[in-house]
Amino acid sequence: MKKKYFYNKDDIMKILEAPEKRAKKIIKDLNKELEEKGFLYYDKVVNAKYFNERYNIE
């Protein structure tokens, strides 16, 4: 399977078994954290490595 560098709402919904509204909020919140740390980010997706670190997923 190809390694993903970014997760969209569908990926997060599948990983966390979360509803769409919650997945969108997670992306928004994590991107805000990245922005505050001075990192670049893209709307509607979140950095997969950062997501995995924050949610303790290996």
Side-chain angles (χ1 to χ4, degrees):
M1 186 165 109
K2 186 177 177 182
K3 181 179 179 180
K4 286 192 143 197
Y5 292 97
F6 294 95
Y7 292 146
N8 60 26
K9 68 173 174 58
D10 295 327
D11 296 323
I12 293 174
M13 288 170 61
K14 184 178 178 182
I15 293 167
L16 299 179
E17 298 178 4
E20 182 177 354
K21 186 175 181 180
R22 180 69 181 136
K24 287 179 177 181
K25 181 163 178 19
I26 289 168
I27 291 171
K28 183 179 178 181
D29 292 345
L30 292 178
N31 280 339
K32 185 176 180 183
E33 289 177 15
L34 287 169
E35 180 182 28
E36 289 171 356
K37 291 180 179 187
F39 291 96
L40 297 176
Y41 66 94
Y42 298 104
D43 289 336
K44 300 184 181 182
V45 294
V46 67
N47 181 284
K49 182 178 178 183
Y50 188 68
F51 173 84
N52 291 336
E53 286 174 7
R54 292 286 283 123
Y55 281 85
N56 199 25
I57 297 172
E58 296 177 8

